[in-house]
Structures are given as C-alpha cells and as structure tokens.
Amino acid sequence: MAEFSYDVVVIGSGPAGESAAMNAAKSGKSVAIIDRRHDVGGNCTHQGTIPSKALRHSVDALMKYNRSAMFRAISEPRLLDFPTVMQSAQTVVNKQVTMRARFYARNHVSVYQGDAFFLDQHRVELREGDNAGDVLKGEHIIIATGSRPYRPPEVNFKHARIFDSDKVLTMTDTPKRMVIYGAGVIGCEYASIFSGLGVKVDLVNPGARLLAFMDDEISDALSYHMRNHGVLIRHNETFKKVEGKKDQIILTLESGKTIKADAFMWANGRAGNTETLNLEAIGLQPNGRGQLEVDKTYRTKVENIYAVGDVIGWPSLASAAYDQGRGASSAALEDGHSHFFSDIPTGIYTIPEISSVGENERELTEKKVPYEVGKAYFKDTARAQITGEDVGMLKILFHSETLELLGIHCFGDQAAEILHIGQAIMEQPNGGNTLEYFVNHTFNYPTMAEAYRVAALNGLNRL
C-alpha cells in the first residue's frame, strides 16, 4: 500500500469531476482523479448523456430519411434494430473516452482506477480496481460520483425483459411492444427513441402531464407529437407490480389495469452514488436518494470536502455538472472565480427536442408579472421549409412594459442550439436584455435563428 499527496483529489471523472480537475490543474495544483471504471468519462459518457443522445440522433436521422419525399423516389422506408443503432452510439462513446483521457495526460492529472473509500476527511483509500490499496491524501476533496437509476426493491432487474436506463443499453433485440414507467426526461427520451424504431410504446406517467416543470404549451406539443409517432401515453397511473415471464412482462397498475409487453423499462428517478464512499467516517449523511447537501460554493458540511453534479440532485444535467465542478474547484482554491449556477438552460432530447431558459407562463402568472408572448412557428420559416423540419416553434416571454426577456421556450429541430441566442441576450446588463435586440439586428437568411426576429415582431404587435 502506497500513500500519495495532492492538492486536490476528485472522485468521479464525469463532467463535474473533469471540470473540477482541469480547473485545479490549470491553476498549477497537483490533482488526482479517481474512477471505478477503467475508462474515464463517468456515467455521462458510458451510460447516460452520450449514448442516449447518440441513439436519439441515429433514430432521428432514420425518421427523417423515412419521411423524405426525395428518398422515397429511390428507396422504400427502412427500419433498423436497436443493436445496430447502439453500435453507432458506442463509436461516439469510444471517441469521447480517447479525447478525455488525452485531456488528463496533457494537464498532468493523475488517474486512479478503483472504488473510493474515505478513511478521514483528507484521505481516501482505493478498493478493488487497478490501484486497490493505494491511499490518496488531498488538501481538498471533491465528490463527483454522479447518479444511477433508482431501483425499487420489488422490481426484478435481473430478468432479461426488465430494464432501467443503464441496462437498456445492453438490449440485444428490438421489442415489438415496450412499456416505460416514468414520464420524466429519461422516460420521454427513450419513448421517442423506441417509437422511432417502430416499437409500440406505452408511456406510463404517474403525473397529470408530461414534463410538468416545462411551459404548458411546450408540454402539450410534446404530448401531441409523441402520440402522433405512436406512443400511447397513460397519465395518472401508479405502479403496483411487474411480473417477468419467459416471453413477456405483465405490468399491473394501482388502477387495476394490466399491460402486457415484450419489455419493461423503469424510468422513475435516480439515486446518488454515495453508498460505497464510507461517508460516515467523515460525518456526512446523504438523503434518502443518496444525495449530498451543499452550500452556494458547493461545500459540504465538512470544510475541505465539496460535492458537485448529479450527486447533489437538481438539476442533474451534464451541462450544469460541468459548471458546478469548475465552481467548486475555484471555491476550494479561493481563486476568485467561484460562481453558483442557477440560471441553467434545459435541453431535453425527445423527438422533436425541447429547450428552455427562464420562467414559463404559469410561473409569471402566479407572480403577477405583466408579460406578453411572441411566437414564431417553424413551418413559416424558410430554413425549416428547406430542411423539411417544420415542426415546432420559438416562444419568447417578455415584460410588457420594459420589453425585458423573461423566458425563452423552444420546441422542434435544433431547439437546444437555437435557445442559446435568447439566453445570451437575457444575460446582458444595463438595458441590454430587451426584445428590441431582435428587431434592430440583422439575422442571416435563411436560418433558424431568424425565428427570433419573427417572434419579436409578433410580440410587439400584441402591445
């Protein structure tokens, strides 16, 4: 057993851990990063964001091909099976691992493989893995262990036909009918993926509407288009039990309904990866979902220990995790650049995709903020007509007196990209946050970005 000392020890090499390590290394500190996998990248690269979004892109490309009148002139519509599109996703995963391993080498960050186990607030022992037995001593320690799908004990995930969002990546065939329980971000994204492959999908939602935290109009649009793609959405239904048979699963709901299908996917919640860290040795107690509480500098109740990413809960986005890692690292180093990230855009990669930043109509109405709405429908923009991606809209919420932007909501092709133009204007100080920006500046034509000009003029015409 050997002991090594570092200025900063980071546990987890996902977006949060990587940005924390890189920020500290570029500040001239000695840095070590620990991951239980042999390959860096964390859950984001191997089981979460990267594979699911790569899958989504492949399926979306297939759907575009099948509905294209031009391609119909030379070929019949095609279907691909799940293992085939998964091979494409794995190619992206491999590229990400190679790139990120190069980052650590170039910045002289020491990478250790094993399970982290706290001995005290400055020392972590590695168990299992290539570096088992080594002890890393850190002046500062940053926990970035991510999360995993929550697995209720009454569901037998060992059954070949019962999946969660990690296990589903190992699926070896394409079911004809699939039930997904949980209609949050992950459930909606996988419902889009599988329906795009021709699978009959039942999406069971414990709530009254899809993605209830989103703007109501956007949520309604998603529901319409998912149904249009063949997804059967069942609202206000709660899980009772699922039985795995040899050739099918049987889901029983509290309402008395039973649903038979070829496969079942549980997509209802995630839990922080803290159970093997021996947190009691340092006086930390995670909540019931394995998540840690932090302050505005991402510091836990232990002075030199920070936590970032999915392990601290909301918003559980890779984009936010990357910023949180940098913020925690800066706070630990006291370099003056620490920042608590709260105005975080949301990107949801359903088909079509959704993105938003700022407040929605329901929130503004409850706060009695006088606002107006500007809309641009993609079907009326030249670029969308050219590409054939004419489903969707851009929606701008702005103060009816000051014209200050209050919220941007986008639904449709490239929504997550389009959103950032509005986000940039919303962040402008000294009167720069104004709807008038979009009518006083020229946008390339034809582009999707010009939807901002159309929406702004639409909104001004309502005043």
Side-chain angles (χ1 to χ4, degrees):
M1 183 174 69
E3 183 168 312
F4 305 90
S5 294
Y6 294 91
D7 295 318
V8 179
V9 172
V10 181
I11 307 172
S13 67
E18 178 184 302
S19 63
M22 294 299 137
N23 186 64
K26 291 181 183 298
S27 297
K29 303 298 182 180
S30 59
V31 182
I33 195 159
I34 303 167
D35 201 289
R36 60 175 40 164
R37 293 183 178 88
H38 284 91
D39 294 325
V40 296
N43 294 333
C44 171
T45 296
H46 295 279
Q47 293 174 300
T49 301
I50 296 303
S52 65
K53 276 51 176 180
L55 277 170
R56 185 259 183 206
H57 174 78
S58 296
V59 172
D60 188 41
L62 177 66
M63 294 173 69
K64 290 177 182 177
Y65 172 85
N66 283 336
R67 64 174 178 259
S68 169
M70 179 179 67
F71 288 126
R72 289 297 64 75
I74 60 174
S75 176
E76 293 298 316
R78 302 297 178 95
L79 284 177
L80 296 176
D81 59 27
F82 185 81
T84 298
V85 294
M86 191 62 223
Q87 288 176 7
S88 176
Q90 189 58 48
T91 300
V92 180
V93 170
N94 295 340
K95 289 180 180 179
Q96 286 281 308
V97 169
T98 301
M99 177 184 70
R100 300 190 182 287
R102 189 168 63 245
F103 290 166
Y104 292 117
R106 190 169 63 209
N107 288 277
H108 307 290
V109 174
S110 300
V111 179
Y112 291 84
Q113 194 263 317
D115 285 322
F117 186 88
F118 276 98
L119 300 178
D120 55 47
Q121 70 180 73
H122 287 285
R123 295 187 305 146
V124 175
E125 180 184 346
L126 297 180
R127 299 193 168 185
E128 308 294 335
D130 295 345
N131 300 108
D134 288 347
V135 174
L136 305 186
K137 183 178 180 181
E139 181 180 353
H140 303 284
I141 298 177
I142 300 175
I143 301 172
T145 47
S147 65
R148 65 188 183 282
Y150 169 68
R151 287 187 166 188
E154 65 270 24
V155 178
N156 179 19
F157 289 96
K158 293 182 179 179
H159 194 280
R161 295 181 179 272
I162 297 178
F163 301 87
D164 59 18
S165 59
D166 284 355
K167 185 183 175 184
V168 77
L169 300 175
T170 67
M171 184 179 284
T172 57
D173 58 8
T174 307
K176 292 182 179 180
R177 184 177 180 184
M178 184 173 193
V179 179
I180 298 176
Y181 182 78
V185 173
I186 292 173
C188 287
E189 289 182 350
Y190 273 101
S192 294
I193 289 170
F194 280 102
S195 66
L197 293 173
V199 179
K200 293 181 179 179
V201 177
D202 286 48
L203 181 61
V204 182
N205 180 21
R209 61 187 305 120
L210 298 183
L211 306 178
F213 60 91
M214 298 294 294
D215 181 87
D216 290 347
E217 191 171 10
I218 298 295
S219 173
D220 290 342
L222 176 64
S223 296
Y224 171 82
H225 286 284
M226 289 186 74
R227 289 186 173 108
N228 195 46
H229 291 158
V231 177
L232 177 59
I233 304 172
R234 301 175 184 268
H235 291 302
N236 299 310
E237 295 281 7
T238 52
F239 175 88
K240 184 175 182 180
K241 65 178 180 178
V242 61
E243 301 170 85
K245 305 295 185 180
K246 181 179 179 181
D247 58 350
Q248 66 178 359
I249 64 93
I250 303 173
L251 172 66
T252 303
L253 301 171
E254 290 289 353
S255 65
K257 296 184 183 71
T258 58
I259 307 172
K260 297 179 181 180
D262 302 310
F264 171 82
M265 178 177 171
W266 178 274
N268 198 37
R270 295 184 67 83
N273 293 323
T274 52
E275 73 283 357
T276 62
L277 291 174
N278 191 34
L279 292 177
E280 55 268 27
I282 55 174
L284 287 181
Q285 178 64 49
N287 65 18
R289 282 294 178 97
Q291 299 163 348
L292 294 172
E293 182 181 346
V294 295
D295 64 15
K296 295 293 185 179
T297 66
Y298 304 102
R299 191 195 308 266
T300 67
K301 294 179 180 179
V302 181
E303 183 180 8
N304 69 304
I305 297 178
Y306 299 75
V308 287
D310 282 15
V311 78
I312 66 171
W314 184 91
S316 296
L317 296 170
S319 55
Y322 198 90
D323 291 334
Q324 291 169 351
R326 189 173 70 253
S329 183
S330 290
L333 302 178
E334 299 180 342
D335 63 9
H337 298 295
S338 181
H339 175 63
F340 185 81
F341 296 88
S342 55
D343 297 326
I344 298 169
T346 298
I348 301 172
Y349 297 88
T350 47
I351 300 175
E353 69 189 47
I354 300 171
S355 195
S356 69
V357 67
E359 296 183 287
N360 59 43
E361 289 198 64
R362 185 183 345 107
E363 293 166 338
L364 293 173
T365 299
E366 290 172 354
K367 293 180 179 180
K368 298 183 179 180
V369 175
Y371 74 92
E372 195 47 86
V373 183
K375 295 182 182 179
Y377 292 96
F378 289 178
K379 64 183 177 63
D380 299 324
T381 63
R383 184 61 177 268
Q385 293 169 358
I386 291 168
T387 63
E389 296 300 316
D390 58 357
V391 169
M393 70 169 179
L394 173 67
K395 179 177 181 179
I396 302 175
L397 307 180
F398 62 96
H399 198 287
S400 56
E401 298 169 1
T402 66
L403 303 186
E404 177 185 2
L405 304 183
L406 303 172
I408 309 289
H409 305 274
C410 193
F411 176 80
D413 186 48
Q414 302 180 63
E417 301 283 355
I418 296 167
L419 181 88
H420 290 303
I421 298 170
Q423 179 193 21
I425 302 306
M426 285 180 69
E427 293 298 320
Q428 297 306 302
N430 304 320
N433 176 9
T434 173
L435 188 73
E436 292 184 326
Y437 175 90
F438 301 120
V439 296
N440 293 334
H441 290 78
T442 303
F443 287 83
N444 283 333
Y445 177 85
T447 61
M448 295 305 295
E450 67 167 327
Y452 278 99
R453 176 179 57 82
V454 176
L457 290 170
N458 176 266
L460 290 172
N461 286 339
R462 298 176 188 276
L463 297 178

